Amino acid sequence: PAVDAKILIVGCGISGIGAAQRLIQHGFSNVRIIEATSRSGGRIKTGRLGSNIVEVGANWIHGPSQENPVFQLACHYQLLSKESMSEENQSADIGGHPPFVPNWFSSSGRKLDPDVMGPAVELFMTLFEKCQEFHASGEEPMPTVGEFLKREALRIAHEEWEEDQATKDLKLALLSTMLKLECCVSGTHTMDDVGLGAFGMYKTLPGLDCTFPGGYDGLIKHMMNELPADIVLYNKPVKCVHWNNTYKQSSSKGRTYPVTVECVNGETFEADHVIVTIPLGYLKKHQDTLLHPPLPLHKLHSIQRMGFGTNNKIFLEFEKPFWSEDCEVIYLVWDDEPDLVDVVSDVKTAWIKKLFGFTVLKPMERFGHVLCGWIAGHESEYMETLTEFEVLQAVTQLIRRFTGNPTIAPKKLLRSQWFHEPYTYGSYTYVAKGCSGYDIDNLAEPLPLPGSNSQPLQVMFAGEATHRSFFSTVHGALITGWREADRLHTHYTTLSGQMISKL
Ligand code: 6YU
């Protein structure tokens, strides 16, 4: 390979770090990462709630088993518990939905009966799995996941449920809660925005989802330690990537480079190749100015079509638990929602109704009594505009109402604000209504397009949004970084092969 090729990576999230690591392994020595913020890790962001380590961004290794490169690295760096690494955990195939032990509370302040609620959850899961099958079968009975789930759930409830109306309504209200949960999983405002036919493109890997006891950022630290110390230029937001020799620099001496990266502060960096790992949320916002010449139309359209939504967390610490000892997830069921809704009618007054419930941070010996509330969509984006105190008040009121206990008061709160992160603009990618795998391929396609006479692979694209089946995950992002590094390696190996054969 031409080890002196000058390569710039924009963004120091896991995909950018992965790309740098792989390029260096391939023998490229002229590699730099340009990062807008003062830290590496991007959407992997470990924070603190008092003395507790909490994940503001990515939470789990989804599908921790041998095929998952994040799991492999985490094992290599010894960052996981023995239990997470056990054969038993690796072989558990749970289709992306960990079997959490639930507690259900209703808005009238009652704890709900698991025997009554359980079958409603099972129905939801069965329908949800059905949604994932349409991709392979090629049919799409409805345009979106939300519409399909609602139609089928209401039909089955009407035809098969035999309880009294009040119990039926409560079970349907639980399905509204489940829809709100799926909004968090998919990172969307409503499941009515998620395309049904493409939904099954997302692939789950075997393994019981696990966390990093010392924080997800331990993975970032270990990976960064293996890179040259000065590889990252921090606090340098990139304004524009000029390609095809369109940036004329008076100071250019010696050889010329096809690409110039221009930062917001006016600094410029020249390169043979640039790997852009910027999140889709940022690309959507700056799609017209981030590249010069601008992105080709089909790429722009795919950026517009793909979905990128917000999912936020609200961590709360309590003196003592109001949930049962074995409880792993708390569902909040609104009595007045039997019509399967996953959006609120008035965001300003009712945003809190979008919070589906809480996961319990375990083990208790380490965390004490800490819950993580989950909220997606426009309601979540509105929550970000409120003060921490206002959020605390709203959540306290909510918990008091659902438990019927007017004295419960969280001790501490920490929430994420991913929509207001200027270099992310949301949480992660979903396949919106009308999207297909081709949109993801378009996003990942390097510039210039095939058939052009100019120098190939000037601008390349990595990041979670560019992986067909693992979008929205850390392992997906990592694989795309490696993919682009390998693409350059293959390019130069082929080139040198051609030169040798000419000699
Ligand atoms: C996972 C999980 N997880 C929760 C929440 C969030 C995410 N994910 P990065 O953004 O990291 O890096 C880009 C860098 O570029 C960044 O540093 C920027 O500052 C920089 N940059 C931007 N603009 C720039 C500019 N102009 N100039 C210079 N630099 C610039 N993933 O595996 N497990 O539990 C979760 C979760 C709240 C926000 C997650 C999870 C997603 C991952 O965090 C994310 O994909 C990667 O970190 C992205 O890395 P990257 O390098 O691409 O970008 C069936 C079905 C449905 C499908 N959905 C399945 C559900 C699975 C998703 N679950 C997620 C859930 C949680 C809870």
Side-chain angles (χ1 to χ4, degrees), residues 105-111 322 332 396-408:
F105 292 91
S106 87
S107 54
S108 53
R110 289 182 299 140
K111 220 170 167 181
F322 61 84
L332 303 178
T396 306
Q397 255 181 27
L398 178 85
I399 295 173
R400 288 179 176 177
R401 173 172 182 169
F402 276 76
T403 55
N405 178 345
T407 62
I408 292 182

Side-chain angles (χ1 to χ4, degrees), residues 10-15 34-37 41-44 56-60 62 128 132 185-186 199 202 216 236-238 277-279 282 311 313 374 418 423 427-428 463-464 471-474 477:
V10 182
C12 196
I14 190 94
S15 59
I34 305 186
E35 167 56 46
T37 69
R43 281 169 275 172
I44 294 176
V56 179
N59 224 70
W60 294 283
H62 289 304
F128 188 79
Q132 290 165 317
V185 176
S186 281
F199 192 57
Y202 179 82
Y216 225 125
K236 297 214 189 301
V238 167
T277 75
I278 288 177
Y282 186 100
N311 176 23
K313 306 181 188 182
W374 296 85
W418 286 103
Y423 301 108
S427 299
Y428 38 88
E464 55 86 15
F471 55 86
S472 77
T473 67
V474 173

